[in-house]
């Protein structure tokens, strides 16, 4: 805003229609994070009183010299942190300052580590977004025993806040 404040958020229902419940009088669908709980007593996400579910919702603000330099957020469950880090690296390390270009860089992600919601139903699987991944790289990953899951999921928000006050998102 005109005072230099910034905000970011991550919209997440956890399923297509969340919990299928709407907050009365608002039209707002409630999320379904309860599905991260597990009835298996050996699970770290075992459902017990006063326990909170595992969360991946982490909208982020990057600072430079104590002032906001960028904001980033994305839905995507366990892929959120991986996608955000790769977009930040594209921008900060590789100099892709156009937010759209930083977002469109090829990203990869492990597919849901063990112990989370889906009980690691994708062991040794790497999700790759369509992009500039060489056939040689794919072959090497497959030789190492990885399965490749191609995806076009590019849902992420990223914006720069430049020192002169210019904003680009």
């Amino acid at each position: 805003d005109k005072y230099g404040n910034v905000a970011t958020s991550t919209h997440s229902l956890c399923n297509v229609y969340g919990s299928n419940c709407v907050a009365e009088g608002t039209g707002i669908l409630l999320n379904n994070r309860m599905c991260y709980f597990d009835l298996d007593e050996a699970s770290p996400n075992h459902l017990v009183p006063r326990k909170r579910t595992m969360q991946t919702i982490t909208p982020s603000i990057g600072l430079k010299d104590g002032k906001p330099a960028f904001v980033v957020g994305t839905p995507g469950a366990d892929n959120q942190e991986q996608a955000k880090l790769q977009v930040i690296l594209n921008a900060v390390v590789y100099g892709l300052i156009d937010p759209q270009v930083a977002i469109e860089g090829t990203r990869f992600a492990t597919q849901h580590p063990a112990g989370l919601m889906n009980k690691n139903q994708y062991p040794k699987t790497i999700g790759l977004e369509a992009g500039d991944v060489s056939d040689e790289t794919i072959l090497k990953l497959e030789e190492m025993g990885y399965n490749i899951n191609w995806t076009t999921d590019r849902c992420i928000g990223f914006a720069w806040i430049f020192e002169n006050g210019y904003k680009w998102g």
Side-chain angles (χ1 to χ4, degrees):
D1 65 13
K2 66 182 180 179
Y3 305 106
N5 298 308
V6 297
T8 181
S9 66
T10 298
H11 171 71
S12 178
L13 293 174
C14 197
N15 283 328
V16 177
Y17 292 103
S19 63
N20 293 315
C21 296
V22 176
E24 188 173 337
T26 68
I28 297 171
L29 280 167
L30 301 178
N31 78 32
N32 193 23
R33 288 285 164 177
M34 294 293 289
C35 68
Y36 277 93
F37 279 127
D38 194 330
L39 299 179
D40 179 355
E41 292 181 14
S43 170
N45 291 317
H46 178 62
L47 179 61
V48 295
R50 292 191 253 329
K51 188 167 188 176
R52 296 180 184 183
T53 60
M54 187 254 340
Q55 292 290 323
T56 58
I57 301 173
T58 56
S60 303
I61 298 173
L63 303 177
K64 180 178 181 183
D65 299 326
K67 295 184 179 182
F70 64 84
V71 294
V72 61
T74 182
D78 305 320
N79 295 332
Q80 287 180 34
E81 299 313 308
Q82 299 172 84
K84 285 188 337 186
L85 175 61
Q86 290 170 63
V87 169
I88 291 167
L89 290 174
N90 283 346
V92 174
V93 174
Y94 300 114
L96 303 176
I97 66 166
D98 179 332
Q100 190 66 39
V101 174
I103 289 169
E104 289 178 356
T106 301
R107 294 194 300 259
F108 64 92
T110 59
Q111 299 287 291
H112 307 293
L116 301 183
M117 180 173 69
N118 65 8
K119 304 277 192 169
N120 198 19
Q121 67 188 23
Y122 304 109
K124 288 205 81 167
T125 298
I126 295 176
L128 280 175
E129 295 176 344
D132 299 327
V133 180
S134 70
D135 292 338
E136 180 183 359
T137 299
I138 300 301
L139 183 59
K140 284 181 182 179
L141 288 169
E142 290 173 341
E143 287 172 355
M144 293 168 60
Y146 288 98
N147 301 306
I148 304 302
N149 180 19
W150 291 97
T151 179
T152 57
D153 185 11
R154 293 189 174 272
C155 189
I156 194 167
F158 181 72
W160 280 110
I161 299 99
F162 293 96
E163 292 173 13
N164 64 4
Y166 183 74
K167 297 162 187 74
W168 191 7

